[in-house]
């Protein structure tokens, strides 16, 4: 249906050229797309979710256009050091020490959480989800190639990428628009402990210190691969040396993606990616949502309504719809008012879909040119996945449906079928929304009331030293997927 009477010319904003470009795949009909996945050392927050939901929209639309898409999104389970730096503790190992668990227990726990949350948001799993620890051999091989090509050096058991040398042949800074000379002039001097020749050089392999538990043998030392390298090794393995689309959050553009380009060119002699796509940030109170600053709401707290900011629960589909109301390249601020407005809009859209099935057909269509409207829906998405314009178009249809219901517009049987199919395609298949009707909302209010009553009963039991009953309530709720959290201001709950 997607190509029926519509013209398709997809344009994608390419971060490397700073322009919207007509999209042409390397192999007709096929697309290779790589998106940087999470570092699994903590629960995902809504900011992380926005980036993955943005790429889910992109994936869904490309599939809707009948492309065969191989979508690779990695799991970073080693090599990502604190502050994205080349020194310091591994984020996962640090958490493992803190929680007295094996690093792989941390990885497992937060990978499960990541999948669970993304499935609540109705995202489609990627075609391949490789892990960094599963590709140590590929990373070592790639480092050997980069050394052989003369763009890396070994120092004290670690291997560093030689940015200055690379810059002479290929130019460093193409994606971020940074100039190496400027970087050199403004960077801090190296200290005596640094193994690097220049501050811009970055680690491909790090020799593990005595305390570092996540380590693998290599020709240079027992150690671990650099964070930037894993993405190059895995994208090359599954999509080839040169592929169509590489995405990630805006904050990964520099240095992570800049280093990926450098590694790809240094290893394979060619630019790895045709279209670089960057999704913008979700903010809360005007500041980037981030785990490290505590400026965040978790998906579980949002769905349960148990947080101090939103005051009531919001369903995953409503939250997804809210995110779709901004284009993926715009900053989006999270607030109660904005989510409430989205909730109203979402229900209006779902109601109109119900109403349409009851609208009688006629011999003519008046009030909306269905073919033209359909083309405009595609035009919106073809213009760099402009979901807010698409949603505005969907609301033109909502208005038409409600007018037709009142008998002030008419529609032929043929147009009715096209309208229904197009709405269905865009609302469910492309935007990935799910019909949660008013009943679900009532249920969540009911659930919230019931759990609060149980929390009160548990508190009473504990006050009477009846800890067995208190624990029973907590454990049985947990078994049902409702987690109680005891804090200074009493007990709250989240849906896991
Ligand atoms: P991390 O696990 O920190 O590597 O982050 C996983 C992904 O979430 C990356 O692509 C980040 O760019 C993205 N991300 C982190 N914070 C935000 C935010 N506030 N809004 C949107 N995306 C974010
Ligand atoms: Zn990456």
């Amino acid at each position: 249906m997607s190509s029926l009477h519509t013209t398709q010319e997809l344009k994608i904003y390419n971060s490397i050229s700073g322009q919207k470009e007509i999209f042409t795949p390397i192999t007709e009909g096929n697309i290779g797309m790589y998106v940087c996945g999470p570092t699994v050392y903590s629960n995902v927050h809504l900011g992380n979710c926005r980036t993955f939901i943005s790429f889910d929209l992109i994936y869904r639309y490309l599939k809707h256009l009948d492309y065969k898409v191989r979508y690779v999104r990695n799991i970073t389970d080693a090599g990502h050091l604190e502050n994205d730096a080349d020194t310091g503790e591994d984020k996962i190992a640090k958490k493992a020490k803190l929680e007295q668990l094996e690093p792989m227990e941390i990885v497992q726990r937060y990978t499960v959480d990541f999948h669970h949350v993304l499935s609540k948001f109705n995202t489609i799993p990627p075609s391949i989800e490789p892990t960094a620890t599963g590709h140590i051999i590929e990373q070592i091989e790639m480092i050997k190639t980069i050394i052989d090509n003369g763009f890396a050096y070994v120092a004290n058991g670690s291997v560093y990428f030689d940015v200055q040398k690379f810059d002479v042949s290929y130019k460093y800074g193409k994606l971020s628009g940074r100039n190496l000379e400027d970087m050199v002039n403004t960077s801090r001097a190296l200290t005596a402990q640094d193994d690097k020749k220049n501050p811009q050089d970055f680690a491909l392999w790090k020799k593990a210190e005595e305390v570092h538990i996540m380590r693998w043998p290599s020709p240079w030392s027992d150690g671990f691969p650099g964070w930037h390298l894993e993405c190059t090794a895995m994208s090359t393995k599954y999509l080839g040396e040169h592929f169509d689309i590489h995405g990630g959050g805006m904050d990964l553009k520099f240095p992570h993606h800049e280093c990926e380009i450098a590694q790809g060119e240094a290893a394979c002699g060619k630019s790895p990616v045709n279209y670089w796509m960057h999704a913008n940030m979700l903010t809360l109170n005007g500041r980037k949502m981030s785990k490290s600053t505590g400026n965040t709401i978790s998906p579980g707290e949002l769905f349960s309504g148990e947080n101090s900011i939103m005051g009531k629960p919001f369903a995953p589909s409503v939250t997804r719809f809210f995110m779709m109301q901004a284009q993926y390249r715009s900053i989006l601020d999270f607030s109660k008012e904005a989510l409430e407005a989205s909730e109203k809009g979402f229900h209006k859209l779902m109601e109109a879909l119900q109403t349409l099935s009851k609208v009688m057909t006629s011999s003519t269509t008046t009030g909306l040119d269905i073919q033209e409207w359909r083309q405009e829906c595609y035009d919106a998405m073809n213009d760099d996945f402009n979901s807010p314009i698409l949603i505005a178009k969907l609301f033109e249809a909502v208005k038409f449906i409600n007018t037709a219901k009142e008998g002030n517009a008419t529609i032929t049987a043929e147009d009715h079928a096209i309208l229904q199919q197009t709405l269905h395609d865009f609302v469910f298949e492309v935007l990935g929304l799910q019909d949660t009707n008013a009943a679900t909302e009532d249920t969540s209010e009911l659930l919230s009331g019931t759990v609060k009553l149980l929390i009160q009963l548990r508190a009473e039991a504990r006050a009477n030293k009846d800890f067995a009953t208190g624990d029973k309530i907590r454990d049985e709720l947990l078994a049902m997927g409702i987690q109680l959290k005891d804090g200074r201001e009493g007990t709250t709950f989240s849906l896991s």
Side-chain angles (χ1 to χ4, degrees), residues 36-39 45 47-48 50-52 80 248-249 251-252 280-282 288-289:
C36 294
T39 303
H45 59 70
N48 305 133
R50 183 189 179 201
T51 287
F52 299 119
H80 198 169
D251 53 346
L252 298 185
N280 216 328
M281 298 292 113
L282 186 67
K288 180 184 162 187
M289 218 183 253

Side-chain angles (χ1 to χ4, degrees), residues 348-389:
K348 209 170 153 189
L349 184 59
M350 292 302 151
E351 272 162 34
L353 286 171
Q354 304 279 338
T355 308
L356 179 60
S357 55
K358 291 178 223 136
V359 167
M360 306 291 271
T361 56
S362 156
S363 56
T364 53
T365 299
T366 58
L368 186 70
D369 183 329
I370 303 293
Q371 284 294 353
E372 198 178 294
W373 167 82
R374 177 180 158 83
Q375 178 64 50
E376 285 166 359
C377 290
Y378 280 96
D379 291 347
M381 285 305 283
N382 288 336
D383 183 16
D384 193 30
F385 310 94
N386 202 323
S387 53
I389 303 279

Side-chain angles (χ1 to χ4, degrees), residues 107-242:
V107 164
Q108 178 69 8
R109 174 184 294 177
Y110 296 114
T111 302
V112 168
D113 170 72
F114 174 65
H115 288 154
H116 178 70
V117 170
L118 283 197
S119 81
K120 287 239 165 200
F121 281 118
N122 198 29
T123 65
I124 305 175
S127 333
I128 304 178
E129 193 169 45
T131 61
T133 55
H135 295 77
I136 301 289
I137 291 169
E138 286 81 352
Q139 294 177 79
I140 291 174
E141 288 307 309
M142 187 163 261
I143 297 170
K144 284 188 198 160
T145 309
I146 298 176
I147 295 175
D148 288 348
N149 291 350
F151 297 111
Y153 56 92
V154 183
N156 264 333
S158 293
V159 184
Y160 293 96
F161 191 92
D162 192 336
V163 174
Q164 300 247 353
K165 203 154 168 220
F166 171 80
D167 191 60
V168 175
S169 314
Y170 290 100
K171 273 256 151 285
Y172 182 73
K174 291 190 272 285
L175 179 62
S176 57
R178 296 180 194 213
N179 178 305
L180 184 58
E181 216 173 298
D182 297 343
M183 284 187 247
V184 170
N185 290 338
T186 55
S187 60
R188 57 160 187 87
L190 287 172
T191 62
Q193 295 95 320
D194 271 314
D195 293 327
K196 295 183 190 180
K197 286 199 224 161
N198 293 294
Q200 283 68 41
D201 295 350
F202 54 91
L204 298 176
W205 186 265
K206 284 284 290 182
K207 179 180 172 178
E209 289 161 23
E210 280 310 309
V211 291
H212 202 106
I213 32 182
M214 297 169 82
R215 56 168 76 209
W216 292 265
S218 82
W220 315 287
S221 63
D222 272 10
F224 55 92
W227 171 45
H228 308 310
L229 186 74
E230 62 172 273
C231 286
T232 304
M234 293 188 272
S235 62
T236 309
K237 176 161 174 129
Y238 298 111
L239 299 172
E241 293 176 355
H242 182 57

